[in-house]
Amino acid sequence: SKEICEANETVMCPMCERNCTLQKLNESCIYAKVTHLFDNGGTVFFAIFMAIWATVFLEFWKRRRAVLTYDWDLIDWEDEEEELRPQFEAKYSQVERVNPITGKPEPFQPFPDKLSRLMVSVSGIFFMISLVLTAVFAVVVYRLVAMEQFASFKWYFIKKYWQFATSGTGVCINFMIIMSLNVVYEKVAYLLTDLEHPRTESEWENSFALKMFLFQFVNLNSSIFYIAFFLGRFAGRPGKYNKLFNRWRLEECHPSGCLIDLCLQMGVIMVLKQMWNNFMELGYPLLQNWWSRRKMKRRGQSMENKISLPQWEKDWNLQPMNLHGLMDEYLEMVLQFGFTTIFVAAFPLAPLLALLNNIIEIRLDAYKFVTQWRRPMPARATDIGIWYGILEGIGVLAVITNAFVIAITSDYIPRFVYAYKYGPCTDQGYRQEKCLKGYVNSSLSVFDLSELGMGYSGYCRYRDYRAPPWSSTPYEFTLQFWHVLAARLAFIIVFEHLVFGIKSFIAYLIPDIPKDLCDRMRREKYLVQEMMYEAELEHLQRERKKNGKQYHHEWP
């Protein structure tokens, strides 16, 4: 960042076709300083720490689940004890088979029917995911069009920071599309789940939860994945840029890197979504209850009559709980878990924002359940269902994603290669401050401005590892490019294997059931066996007395 801030003589190539002017490299000084806060050597260790934290979190949740299951006497409770859904019984009442557990006949769904319904459901899921990708493509097109417009804007501030304006407006539009599509997704998920005709209520909830997670996860993270791994990767080079529909030039990364765009995208989406969720969880029931009280007043009921109402009637006037119970609460926490782990290398503030949000939301949820909602109907469950498997999948995806973010999106690997292979202290050992001197100049290639045909002369710089125009192979990739590429691939492989090995080792070390709980369960099992032994012994002794046989205290 120091070299960027002092590069007042380095001219960067225009970043758009018509309205962009030549800029000095030091004009991106602020972006470079902000990027350095989370694009440094500590990023790797922080990503490893978060991957380990996710594993420890899930392992200790398994221990907590075992304690809760024991305290609520659900150790031996099986899903087979669940009743069939009325919709399932009505649909398949004509087809019956004997339940292998109970030995009683019950409605049965034939396999061909189940498979055909499942295929229709999967097709619907893929269609909705393709709709999400279409929305992301529309936002990308907007960014390409807005880039040219903001670069020629009348206001000096917007014209100077046109990249920030493009990213900021693109994020806001993307967030509005996300929230709009979420409403559609919930209705589609209901429709597809009912089409499958699940056998029990837990099967219906698991199927619905998986669809809602897939829809919202892709909806929230598709634009983030685009910025992290595709933005600026296929833009081309000066004089030979790739264009969308042969009209709009593809967007490039900022001179200080793409990580600042990724951080902005994640920060805005995470903060706005948390604010919106808190409003919908508390503000919406408050407004509904206020409206219902207002309607009661219009019907002629006075405040005196309202005060004299019995408590159960006051409770009935509150808002009913969602039909799918705690589904929204689980979904919100699982998506938040993804935000705090998947791209934590690019946005280290995500865990802090999640912590602050949860501290506030705990009290908001308490107030909502006690004062705004009717008392929910209780239901037995031995675990959190499919959500645990989803959390484990997010933990695995987080390791892979952070490895690619550090290797591809950040400048950690190019700096590492420069310090060891091309820096001023290549043969003198690795010293961070001295060995990176000249890195910025090494990471910028040279382009002849006269080739643009825009009236410019001289040379400009752009982010890439290509040969200069005066070389024998102008604008071809240099050896340093291939060294950086090989180092990136090697880092991804080493990082993933190392972190997965640590995660597996920690998961092996932490038992799923606490030792004291295990001892209590074994003690109970022993006492039950003793009681059965004593009861059987007493029964046999009574039989011997009745038959006139000799009485003995030992086992017969």
Side-chain angles (χ1 to χ4, degrees), residues 386-423:
I386 200 172
W387 295 110
Y388 183 80
I390 292 175
L391 289 172
E392 283 193 324
I394 290 176
V396 173
L397 180 63
V399 176
I400 300 173
T401 306
N402 283 308
F404 275 88
V405 168
I406 296 172
I408 296 176
T409 311
S410 75
D411 287 339
Y412 177 78
I413 298 301
R415 288 198 302 265
F416 187 83
V417 171
Y418 177 81
Y420 273 96
K421 183 69 177 176
Y422 298 95

Side-chain angles (χ1 to χ4, degrees), residues 118-131:
L118 186 62
M119 293 300 295
V120 173
S121 179
V122 171
S123 301
I125 292 174
F126 278 107
F127 174 76
M128 296 307 297
I129 291 177
S130 64
L131 185 62

Side-chain angles (χ1 to χ4, degrees), residues 43 92 150 215 323 375 460 487:
T43 305
Y92 299 104
F150 284 130
F215 290 159
L323 294 176
R375 181 181 298 175
C460 66

Side-chain angles (χ1 to χ4, degrees), residues 261-277:
D261 289 329
L262 182 59
C263 181
L264 176 66
Q265 181 87 5
M266 288 196 62
V268 172
I269 289 180
M270 187 174 185
V271 172
L272 291 180
K273 190 172 191 324
Q274 289 179 345
M275 293 172 60
W276 176 259
N277 287 340

